[in-house]
Amino acid sequence: ETGVTQSPTHLIKTRGQQVTLRCSSQSGHNTVSWYQQALGQGPQFIFQYYREEENGRGNFPPRFSGLQFPNYSSELNVNALELDDSALYLCASSLDPYQPQHFGDGTRLSIL
Amino acid sequence: DQQVKQNSPSLSVQEGRISILNCDYTNSMFDYFLWYKKYPAEGPTFLISISSIKDKNEDGRFTVFLNKSAKHLSLHIVPSQPGDSAVYFCAASAVGNQGGKLIFGQGTELSVKP
């Protein structure tokens, strides 16, 4: 059984650029959630997708957007990158919104 | 506003002894709680969960206790092993209101010494 996979593992961007992060959910999982983890902090919820529809959003500005595809893989897009966007971005999938979430190893995003 | 708090940033325990990791929460709407373990350069790994209708859940060496009146939960690891050394996060959700949105604590780094 393949777990949650994220790509790329590391990324360096400059302020003002745009970035797309990708996530393949675990087999059989129809729900994907995205989190941002700053150094020394716990993950912070960005949003969740359930069967291709947004199913909840955290306190992140609209320049953070997402998408879930029919195969339940997902993308996180961030526009107009700021220095504070430097963080580990984690994707998690689950059987449905009410089951435990299983995380990928994350994408480390650095903004210069 | 930190709704889930882990007040101990680190904990050191001798191999074979009990490790107790604590977590407090403020939102009375939370009804589902989880513990995750995280090694460096890896994503969090789900360990154990508990619903608010229970006060205890066990899985092998791991037991989670929930005290709703105190808004407190704890993870007990018995016996502790060097491989348990990692950062542990507690997380909570208000399933009825917000589906699977998890609110995480800041984490506690556990070190188990041989």
Side-chain angles (χ1 to χ4, degrees):
Chain A
E1 183 181 85
T2 308
V4 178
T5 57
Q6 293 186 242
S7 61
T9 53
H10 294 88
L11 204 47
I12 299 175
K13 291 284 189 179
T14 56
R15 273 186 306 173
Q17 285 190 311
Q18 177 267 341
V19 70
T20 298
L21 310 182
R22 294 180 173 82
C23 172
S24 292
S25 56
Q26 192 167 320
S27 176
H29 289 191
N30 59 25
T31 303
V32 171
S33 305
W34 286 91
Y35 294 81
Q36 179 195 67
Q37 186 178 16
L39 212 56
Q41 301 294 319
Q44 282 206 332
F45 177 77
I46 303 175
F47 42 57
Q48 181 181 83
Y49 281 84
Y50 170 55
R51 292 186 171 178
E52 302 179 61
E53 298 286 331
E54 188 178 286
N55 185 47
R57 189 180 179 92
N59 294 328
F60 281 81
R63 57 190 185 85
F64 285 78
S65 63
L67 204 55
Q68 187 180 29
F69 300 100
N71 66 355
Y72 302 133
S73 66
S74 177
E75 282 181 359
L76 164 64
N77 298 291
V78 188
N79 292 324
L81 286 165
E82 301 176 0
L83 293 177
D84 283 349
D85 295 334
S86 294
L88 179 68
Y89 288 84
L90 292 162
C91 168
S93 73
S94 52
L95 284 169
D96 63 49
Y98 308 101
Q99 297 299 317
Q101 296 175 20
H102 298 269
F103 285 81
D105 290 338
T107 294
R108 173 72 60 188
L109 176 63
S110 300
I111 310 302
L112 303 179
Chain B
D1 175 27
Q2 191 74 27
Q3 296 185 68
V4 178
K5 294 181 185 179
Q6 294 176 256
N7 291 317
S8 299
S10 62
L11 175 68
S12 184
V13 169
Q14 207 66 32
E15 182 179 5
R17 299 291 187 105
I18 184 171
S19 294
I20 300 176
L21 298 109
N22 293 304
C23 180
D24 297 295
Y25 62 95
T26 57
N27 189 340
S28 57
M29 299 299 293
F30 287 148
D31 53 10
Y32 187 57
F33 304 88
L34 308 90
W35 284 93
Y36 285 85
K37 174 172 76 173
K38 188 178 186 303
Y39 294 120
E42 293 184 12
T45 301
F46 169 69
L47 275 177
I48 192 169
S49 63
I50 188 166
S51 160
S52 60
I53 62 172
K54 293 183 160 186
D55 54 19
K56 178 182 172 181
N57 190 27
E58 276 182 270
D59 185 1
R61 297 185 298 116
F62 301 92
T63 303
V64 56
F65 294 92
L66 175 62
N67 182 333
K68 288 186 290 292
S69 60
K71 293 192 178 68
H72 177 84
L73 66 155
S74 60
L75 175 68
H76 293 209
I77 306 174
V78 184
S80 301
Q81 299 173 353
D84 296 329
S85 297
V87 178
Y88 288 77
F89 292 97
C90 69
S93 69
V95 173
N97 283 343
Q98 297 174 13
K101 172 182 177 179
L102 293 179
I103 308 297
F104 282 85
Q106 309 96 305
T108 296
E109 184 170 11
L110 174 66
S111 175
V112 180
K113 301 195 182 302

